[in-house]
Amino acid sequence: MRKFLEGCTMALLAKQMIEVVISQKVRQAARDRVEDYYTINSRSSSIHQYGYDPKRMFVGFLGEEIIRDYYNVLEPDNDPDYDLLINGYRVDVKTMACKSKPKLDYMCSANWYVYKTGPDYYLFIRVRNDYTKAWIIGYMECAEFYQKSIVQKR
């Protein structure tokens, strides 16, 4: 079984990334979660953080499903403050789509409004636009991430 969150070192700082080939099973699990989300929330008048953009929702759920598959996490956690519970740590998966393999000096990002007491760690992942490959960039404690981050307004 793969170890997670030992040593609290971002893979990015160690000059390595984990490349993952995305299986059809994982892609389908993400599609199913998008469909379930729309079914459950179709009557809701609240605005979701993704603005109900199915492509962005799919990419986010795909990142979570990749991590679930890679680390053998049985079920997603339905807590609104974090995505997965891995070895007792609350993890918020931050997924970005990309055209090609990311470079080692690329920045990782998270929206400022997401910063709350919910997750213990951010785990950063990039997914190629054709949904065939992904790269697990690394992870960082949320408090450390915001301490080291630079806030940029949109």
Side-chain angles (χ1 to χ4, degrees):
M1 192 160 133
R2 294 174 176 95
K3 293 184 178 184
F4 180 71
L5 298 176
E6 291 188 7
C8 190
T9 307
M10 273 195 75
L12 188 65
L13 300 177
K15 301 295 183 200
Q16 62 183 344
M17 287 182 268
I18 301 167
E19 186 172 286
V20 178
V21 175
I22 305 170
S23 70
Q24 177 59 32
K25 178 188 99 175
V26 168
R27 283 192 297 271
Q28 188 58 51
R31 281 188 204 98
D32 291 346
R33 287 184 65 193
V34 171
E35 192 173 300
D36 290 347
Y37 185 86
Y38 273 96
T39 301
I40 292 167
N41 293 295
S42 63
R43 295 186 188 108
S44 174
S45 61
S46 65
I47 301 295
H48 186 270
Q49 66 181 349
Y50 301 121
Y52 291 108
D53 178 352
K55 184 176 179 183
R56 287 184 67 196
M57 289 180 72
F58 175 73
V59 169
F61 285 140
L62 184 60
E64 291 174 27
E65 292 299 324
I66 291 165
I67 297 303
R68 279 187 58 215
D69 187 60
Y70 189 81
Y71 288 107
N72 273 334
V73 177
L74 297 179
E75 293 294 326
D77 204 314
N78 291 321
D79 191 299
D81 290 336
Y82 61 94
D83 298 323
L84 301 171
L85 193 62
I86 303 176
N87 293 340
Y89 295 102
R90 297 167 299 182
V91 178
D92 198 3
V93 179
K94 297 297 174 193
T95 310
M96 291 184 72
C98 60
K99 294 178 181 180
S100 59
K101 181 177 180 176
K103 294 181 180 178
L104 290 173
D105 62 349
Y106 279 12
M107 296 279 191
C108 296
S109 63
N111 289 322
W112 186 255
Y113 69 83
V114 176
Y115 182 53
K116 49 193 158 208
T117 58
D120 299 309
Y121 287 86
Y122 286 135
L123 191 150
F124 301 96
I125 183 169
R126 298 277 178 120
V127 175
R128 195 160 70 186
N129 287 337
D130 66 2
Y131 311 127
T132 58
K133 284 188 180 178
W135 296 271
I136 301 171
I137 306 294
Y139 57 88
M140 185 176 278
E141 227 175 336
C142 292
E144 181 184 0
F145 177 81
Y146 282 102
Q147 189 175 44
K148 292 180 176 181
S149 65
I150 300 167
V151 178
Q152 294 181 341
K153 293 184 180 182
R154 287 186 167 192

